[in-house]
Amino acid sequence: MSRAIPRLVVAGTASGVGKTTATVAIARALRARGLQVALFKCGPDYLDPTYHARAVAGTSHNLDGWMMGREAVLSTFAAETASADVALIEGVMGLFDGASPTGEEGSTAEIAKWLEAPVALVIDASGMARSVAALVQGFAGFDPALRIAAVVCNQVGSRGHLDILRQAQAQVNRSLPVLGGLPRDEAQRFPERHLGLRTADEAALPEERLDHWGAQAEAWIGLDALLEIARAAPPLPAAGAAATPGAATAGAQRGRARIGLAFDEAFHFYYADNLRRLEAAGAELVRFSPIGDARLPDVDALYLGGGYPEVHAERLAANAALRGEIRAFAGRGGPIYAECGGLMYLTEAIRTLDGRAHPMVGLVPAEAAMCEKLQALGYVEVETQARTILGGAGLRFRGHQFRYSELRPSQRAVQVEPSAAPAPAEQPPSPSAQAPLPIEHAYSVRRRRGGQVSREGYRTASVLASYVHAHWASNPLVPEGLVASAAAHRKERAR
């Protein structure tokens, strides 16, 4: 059985050409017309989806060919468009950029092909006239299996400039039109930080700015023509039910465990699909704030995602009560899983670029030091080398790294081999400043590009922390293992 869902991939010629602005503007305008818009982001990105969510007051889901695989991409898309009138999929980097310089794996083009979706190509047209036609023709002819159906010009100088761009493209290929653009507007551009865009909270992105871009899209872009292109996309075959867990699965297992989810200004990098998989495995997710809460909620495990702990290091350090609560939770054998920013929070201190060391939880015997230059970037594949709170040795899953910090082990760190490490159920040693703390590298991490292998995944008893942002569509056993560890701890607590 197949299902028709109008859809359009909003791709770019490169990073920084305005894909997010165009996607948000078009989505906001379509929502103002009364349409239900489902939004997606290609690639490993936590920030752009926050702009999507604000634009339509809903959740944006990542679609990543390398981390998720085809079936999970298709089933996620099907599940999240069930009640939508139209779907917009924002690309990553340039249209053909991905995990390899010689193939389409992990690229926007790969996702567009899997979804059989037409592409609207966003270009930065500042300082450009007839050259727009040469640029578009190159992209349109690069892969005949991909349908680029429209062009949207960003950074347009005036209505006259847009007319020149339209005429130049029409002379070469009238079947691939420039369907409008967005004017240059420095006062209304989205704010940025070292990872790219800032998170789209109310302070960074007021509603008035979203309305502004929606109005610009309505005035400058041929939305009716874009909708016609989206509605011409062919029906998609029904996705396999097993690839993405749904509400029925979650209902059957609900109540196995409660997992505390760190969520505030410092921690908010989570894939929506990962959270849904935890819920499908029977977890109730309970949010708490490491910045603002003095007590942990009544939970059976903790999940500390990525974010900007370095930006909020002073506030995190000031909340000694919550840091003590987390140490006590670990001391009782409570499972704690942390990624990137969460790992930094679990160290003894975060050293910011000004040289100041801010005390943190102290469960990982190291200091997280911020650096001026990027320390790691790219896809990785993980294999566990010992039993952890995620499951037995030999688990494989995929993720990515993007970080500006490095770990500097402290004097109390005692490196142990996986075979000699304590079982996850055992109590961790005291996290006092004087006591030695055994730590195990529970992960073997292989980089997708280059193939270099390193040891990572810092485990001390029931704590597992890593710089890897994992996507659990690559191995659904991982979220099941975390929920099972939380459920086991719940039973221990009840004794």
Side-chain angles (χ1 to χ4, degrees):
M1 184 178 179
S2 61
R3 176 175 172 269
I5 172 67
R7 56 197 181 275
L8 183 71
V9 171
V10 182
T13 55
S15 295
V17 298
K19 297 186 298 293
T20 303
T21 302
T23 302
V24 166
I26 294 169
R28 191 72 168 188
L30 295 180
R31 182 171 181 259
R33 291 185 173 195
L35 295 178
Q36 185 75 24
V37 184
L39 282 169
F40 301 86
K41 171 66 183 182
C42 295
D45 192 299
Y46 293 107
L47 298 176
D48 291 353
T50 68
Y51 287 76
H52 297 178
R54 289 288 310 285
V56 299
T59 302
S60 176
H61 288 260
N62 293 77
L63 303 175
D64 189 288
W66 189 81
M67 291 196 298
M68 298 174 67
R70 185 176 186 274
E71 289 307 312
V73 165
L74 291 176
S75 61
T76 296
F77 184 80
E80 301 308 320
T81 56
S83 59
D85 298 310
V86 62
L88 299 178
I89 306 99
E90 182 188 343
V92 58
M93 299 185 292
L95 174 57
F96 300 105
D97 302 322
S100 167
T102 58
E104 66 182 15
E105 190 178 29
S107 70
T108 304
E110 178 182 58
I111 298 295
K113 287 181 180 180
W114 287 353
L115 297 178
E116 299 180 55
V119 175
L121 185 67
V122 178
I123 68 170
D124 181 347
S126 57
M128 187 179 292
R130 188 173 181 232
S131 296
V132 68
L135 179 63
V136 172
Q137 287 306 103
F139 270 80
F142 186 78
D143 185 349
L146 190 68
R147 183 192 173 210
I148 299 179
V151 178
V152 175
C153 297
N154 192 31
Q155 300 285 356
V156 173
S158 64
R159 291 281 183 183
H161 183 201
L162 183 57
D163 286 340
I164 290 172
L165 297 167
R166 281 195 175 112
Q167 292 173 33
Q169 176 59 20
Q171 184 187 38
V172 175
N173 188 348
R174 288 186 176 274
S175 65
L176 176 48
V178 172
L179 288 183
L182 291 171
R184 185 182 304 115
D185 193 342
E186 292 298 320
Q188 296 292 338
R189 68 180 299 157
F190 297 153
E192 296 185 0
R193 190 173 274 152
H194 64 257
L195 294 181
L197 295 177
R198 280 184 57 190
T199 303
D201 54 29
E202 287 281 354
L205 188 65
E207 285 292 312
E208 294 78 11
R209 187 166 298 177
L210 290 166
D211 291 338
H212 167 82
W213 285 114
Q216 293 290 68
E218 186 66 60
W220 284 74
I221 298 175
L223 296 180
D224 291 335
L226 280 182
L227 282 172
E228 185 177 346
I229 291 169
R231 287 166 178 157
L236 285 173
T244 302
T249 309
Q253 302 193 74
R254 186 175 292 122
R256 288 179 67 196
R258 287 163 55 90
I259 296 179
L261 188 74
F263 203 99
D264 58 16
E265 302 97 310
F267 305 100
H268 43 262
F269 289 178
Y270 298 96
Y271 289 124
D273 189 77
N274 282 2
L275 301 184
R276 183 172 57 184
R277 288 175 185 276
L278 290 174
E279 291 173 331
E284 176 187 354
L285 302 181
V286 183
R287 291 188 179 188
F288 70 96
S289 170
I291 290 177
D293 292 341
R295 300 289 304 274
L296 282 175
D298 181 19
V299 293
D300 309 301
L302 299 179
Y303 182 2
L304 307 171
Y308 297 114
E310 72 279 8
V311 174
H312 304 281
E314 190 168 348
R315 297 170 68 192
L316 290 168
N319 192 354
L322 199 279
R323 291 189 287 116
E325 286 267 309
I326 293 175
R327 284 195 297 270
F329 183 84
R332 296 190 295 271
I336 301 177
Y337 174 74
E339 293 182 342
C340 201
L343 161 65
M344 295 169 66
Y345 180 56
L346 293 184
T347 65
E348 295 172 354
I350 293 177
R351 187 171 295 276
T352 47
L353 289 175
D354 60 7
R356 296 170 60 198
H358 304 270
M360 293 293 138
V361 176
L363 291 174
V364 175
E367 177 183 87
M370 295 302 299
C371 304
E372 292 282 357
K373 295 182 178 180
L374 192 65
Q375 297 300 297
L377 169 66
Y379 287 123
V380 296
E381 186 164 24
V382 172
E383 182 176 0
T384 59
Q385 303 299 297
R387 171 166 289 279
T388 70
I389 57 174
L390 303 181
L395 275 179
R396 290 188 177 183
F397 56 89
R398 290 180 170 185
H400 77 283
Q401 291 191 355
F402 191 135
R403 58 181 170 88
Y404 277 82
S405 71
E406 64 177 7
L407 283 196
R408 297 172 182 172
S410 68
Q411 292 183 348
R412 70 190 185 107
V414 179
Q415 179 65 46
V416 295
E417 292 300 316
S419 59
E426 291 185 17
Q427 305 296 310
S430 166
S432 68
Q434 295 78 26
L437 185 56
I439 188 162
E440 163 199 338
H441 288 161
Y443 289 174
S444 172
V445 178
R446 181 179 63 84
R447 294 181 59 183
R448 167 62 180 79
R449 184 169 296 179
Q452 297 94 331
V453 176
S454 60
R455 298 298 298 274
E456 219 247 34
Y458 307 96
R459 186 176 87 80
T460 59
S462 61
V463 177
L464 180 63
S466 169
Y467 269 124
V468 176
H469 295 283
H471 200 301
W472 294 333
S474 59
N475 189 340
L477 293 177
V478 174
E480 170 61 36
L482 181 57
V483 175
S485 292
H489 184 58
R490 167 179 273 195
K491 289 181 179 179
E492 287 293 323
R493 295 170 63 205
R495 288 182 180 177

